[in-house]
Amino acid sequence: MGSLPYSPTAPAESAIEYETVMFETNLRADQSKNIYLELTDEGDAAWDELTEAYSTSLISPLSASRLPHPTALSPSQPSKYLVGLSVFHQLHCLSRIRRLLHPERYPWQLAANLSAAETKVHDEHCVDLIRQSLMCAGDVSPIHWEWDEGVGMALPSAKGKHTCRRWEGITQWAKDHNA
């Protein structure tokens, strides 16, 4: 579908391409093969891959000078600057909320070296970051309604086509610039 013009304030903007993706999830869908819903070590590893592997990237001094806010030099490569892509922070927050929904598996998540007040602030930050991100992306793909005999009414279905940023392009940029 193409890409947007490069924005000098977003170093990874050149990696953005668009594609049509069919979402297969709804309230009645078989989610048994969705690794991101599994409460297993494999499910946790899949989330860790999304959130930790590419959370910090290195950019040139020229790219750093174009950012809207100053960023720090890399301690390990002082000729480069540190930057993170917001999507990885957003996924970190979503993973945190996912873990908070299952305290029987993740009891340590509630402590995580933070006081109760700090944990509350972190959790609220995550919810609001995801809210802002969803509003920013503003997915206007239509949601259709399907009749459900089991409940005797029409229910919304999230199945459908969406125009998405190609995930592989984003992760490839992050891999290429990994700190």
Side-chain angles (χ1 to χ4, degrees):
M1 296 192 75
S3 61
L4 293 175
Y6 176 74
S7 168
T9 61
E13 193 75 40
S14 63
I16 301 301
E17 295 176 335
Y18 291 86
E19 65 182 345
T20 300
V21 175
M22 177 62 87
F23 285 19
E24 297 294 340
T25 186
N26 69 23
L27 294 175
R28 304 274 191 233
D30 176 12
Q31 294 291 330
S32 63
K33 293 182 177 47
N34 185 337
I35 190 73
Y36 299 106
L37 296 179
E38 290 183 14
L39 299 177
T40 62
D41 291 344
E42 294 80 12
D44 292 342
W47 276 97
D48 290 346
E49 174 73 16
L50 286 177
T51 59
E52 295 174 6
Y54 315 113
S55 62
T56 307
S57 299
L58 298 172
I59 59 173
S60 70
L62 179 60
S63 290
S65 72
R66 293 176 173 166
L67 295 175
H69 303 285
T71 192
L73 278 168
S74 167
S76 61
Q77 296 186 44
S79 65
K80 301 280 186 177
Y81 286 81
L82 298 173
V83 70
L85 300 183
S86 191
V87 67
F88 297 113
H89 184 188
Q90 295 157 10
L91 286 167
H92 152 81
C93 280
L94 185 58
S95 181
R96 180 174 176 78
I97 293 167
R98 173 187 72 94
R99 290 176 177 180
L100 289 169
L101 291 172
H102 302 283
E104 69 285 354
R105 177 164 173 87
Y106 309 103
W108 52 267
Q109 182 70 38
L110 299 174
N113 298 325
L114 298 175
S115 69
E118 292 168 325
T119 297
K120 182 177 185 293
V121 168
H122 190 182
D123 297 343
E124 289 172 347
H125 151 80
C126 282
V127 168
D128 199 50
L129 177 69
I130 293 169
R131 176 197 61 81
Q132 291 178 70
S133 300
L134 291 169
M135 291 174 73
C136 178
D139 186 348
V140 295
S141 303
I143 292 178
H144 66 280
W145 291 66
E146 296 176 338
W147 185 259
D148 186 313
E149 286 296 333
V151 295
M153 62 188 285
L155 296 174
S157 173
K159 292 187 299 185
K161 292 182 179 179
H162 294 255
T163 300
C164 301
R165 291 180 174 186
R166 196 173 68 80
W167 184 244
E168 293 78 13
I170 295 168
T171 56
Q172 188 59 54
W173 186 93
K175 286 177 187 176
D176 293 347
H177 295 82
N178 198 22

